[in-house]
Amino acid sequence: MTGAASASFTADDYEARMERAARQAADAGLAGLLVAPGPDLVWLTGYTPTAVTERLTLLVLAPGRDPVLVVPTLEAPDAERALGASALTLRDWTDGKDPYAATAALLDADGRFGISDNAWAMHLLGLQRTLPGTSYASLTEALPMLRAVKDAAELELLAAAGAAADAAFEEIRSVAFAGRRESDVAADLAGLLRRFGHSQVDFTIVASGPNGANPHHEVGDRVIERGDMVVLDFGGLRDGYGSDTSRTVHVGEPTDEERRVHDLVREAQEAGFRAVRPGVACQEVDRAARAVIADAGYGEYFIHRTGHGIGVTTHEPPYMIEGEEQPLVPGMCFSVEPGVYLPGRFGVRIEDIVTVTGDGGRRLNNTAREMVIVD
C-alpha cells in the first residue's frame, strides 16, 4: 500500500480491523489467525515489508489476546513505523534463532488456525513440525468475507481508482488502433493508468478480432485491423486500492451481428447490476446476467463467472457465481462483467465495479457502455 493510501487510515482503524478479524476467527471456531506478508497484512496493520524473504514475518491474532507481529530483528525498525504498529506488540527474532519456536509460544498447541493463502509452505511446515497438534485452514476458506465489506474511507479510495481507470478509457478512445500492435495499445493504457495515479498496473488486456474470444488473452504482436472488435480490460492499484474495468470498442463500423452481440452483453451487464441489493445472494447477480445471454441463444459462449470482489487486491471474495449463497452486504465491492466469446471470431465484455448500497448498488465506473467506434 502506498503512503497516500496509508494516510487515509489511522492506528485506530487498524486496531479495529485486527479486533474484528480476531472476533471472526472465534466465530468460525478458530484459535486464531496467522497472517503473512501480503494484502491481508497490509489491510490489518498497514505494514508492507521492504522485501519478502525466507525470514519469517507473521502476525498472530487470537481472541482475547493482544496482536503480536513476529518479525526479523533487522526489519523491526520498518515494522515499528507502520501505522498499525501502536496497536500490536512486536516480537523480533535474530538470525540463528528458531522463528518457529518464537511463534509457537504464542499459539495453542492443539489449535486450528486460519493462515494467509500466500504464506510460504516452508513456514507452515516449520510451524507444523514445532506444534504437531495444530491444524490450519486458508483464510479464503476460513474467513472469505474478512475484507469484503469496505468502510467509507475504503469506498472513497475504490471510487477514486475507478474514476482514474475511467479517465484512462476516455483517453484511449482517441488513440489510433488500426495498424498498431495490441502491445502498443496496451502500453498506452498502462501509461494512462500511471498518469492518472496508479502506482501499480496489474493487467492491460487488448484482445483484437479473434483474440477477443479468449477472456484472458495475453497481449501480443497481432496488428489491429479495421473491422476488428477489441476487448479492453485493464486495472491495477491506485493508493493501495484496485481498479478493474472492461469496455469493448470497434475499429470502424461494426456489422449488424457485432452490434447485436454488444447490445446483448450491455443488456446482461445492466441486468446484473440491477440485481444488486442487500440480502440478495451473490449467485443471483450471476443468474440475472447469465439469463439474458442464455435467453438470446448465446449461453454456451458466456464462459466465466459474472464477477469478483475487489479491494486491496484486484481479485478477492466475494464471487458472483452459481452456488455462492453469501448474501450481499452494504459496502461490498465487486465487478459485474458478463461476456460473449465466439471462437475464431470476436468477443465482447463490459465490466464495472459496483458497490452495494443500503437499497441497491452504485457503479464505480461510469464511461459509455454503448458501442464505441475507434480509428
Side-chain angles (χ1 to χ4, degrees), residues 79-362:
E80 289 171 348
R81 288 193 287 270
L83 281 178
S86 62
L88 53 79
T89 299
L90 288 180
R91 178 167 296 185
D92 64 316
W93 62 276
T94 58
D95 285 352
K97 302 294 185 181
D98 184 352
Y100 308 115
T103 306
L106 307 170
L107 306 181
D108 293 340
D110 58 355
R112 181 169 176 79
F113 297 88
I115 189 165
S116 300
D117 294 19
N118 58 325
W120 286 22
M122 64 179 287
H123 297 321
L124 176 57
L125 294 170
L127 289 171
Q128 288 179 318
R129 282 194 302 271
T130 305
L131 292 175
T134 54
S135 60
Y136 303 86
S138 74
L139 277 187
T140 294
E141 173 191 335
L143 294 179
M145 296 298 114
L146 178 63
R147 305 194 317 255
V149 178
K150 275 64 179 178
D151 62 26
E154 290 182 292
L155 290 173
E156 183 178 339
L157 289 166
L158 282 162
D166 283 357
F169 177 70
E170 294 295 352
E171 290 277 339
I172 206 70
R173 291 176 55 170
S174 63
V175 309
F177 278 70
R180 301 178 70 212
R181 296 173 299 178
E182 292 175 341
S183 56
D184 295 330
V185 178
D188 289 342
L189 267 175
L192 288 167
L193 285 171
R194 292 190 177 94
R195 194 215 300 177
F196 291 112
H198 281 65
S199 59
Q200 177 176 314
V201 176
D202 286 347
F203 48 89
T204 52
I205 294 173
V206 178
S208 62
N211 289 340
N214 177 1
H216 283 172
H217 169 63
E218 289 285 339
V219 167
D221 290 332
R222 182 183 186 275
V223 175
I224 301 170
E225 302 173 358
R226 295 197 68 80
D228 279 348
M229 195 85 87
V230 185
V231 179
L232 304 174
D233 184 349
F234 52 97
L237 298 183
R238 182 185 186 277
D239 290 340
Y241 278 75
S243 68
D244 185 1
T245 188
S246 300
R247 292 293 185 264
T248 303
V249 303
H250 198 277
V251 186
E253 285 299 316
T255 64
D256 290 344
E257 182 190 22
E258 288 170 332
R259 281 194 181 278
R260 185 170 64 252
V261 173
H262 191 282
D263 287 345
L264 173 65
V265 174
R266 180 164 56 88
E267 181 184 349
Q269 207 267 349
E270 179 67 19
F273 169 69
R274 291 192 178 280
V276 175
R277 60 185 182 278
V280 168
C282 291
Q283 67 182 2
E284 295 300 330
V285 178
D286 182 82
R287 288 174 176 177
R290 198 169 299 276
V292 173
I293 292 173
D295 289 349
Y298 287 88
E300 67 182 293
Y301 303 113
F302 180 10
I303 56 177
H304 56 71
R305 65 195 175 203
T306 293
H308 57 82
I310 191 169
V312 293
T313 58
T314 50
H315 280 218
E316 62 186 46
Y319 299 103
M320 307 302 113
I321 184 63
E322 182 67 31
E324 179 52 81
E325 297 181 352
Q326 166 68 41
L328 299 180
V329 176
M332 283 183 175
C333 292
F334 49 84
S335 65
V336 178
E337 51 175 309
V340 168
Y341 308 93
L342 302 179
R345 302 182 62 205
F346 65 88
V348 177
R349 182 163 65 257
I350 300 173
E351 173 186 14
D352 293 326
I353 298 302
V354 173
T355 184
V356 184
T357 65
D359 58 1
R362 175 169 67 96

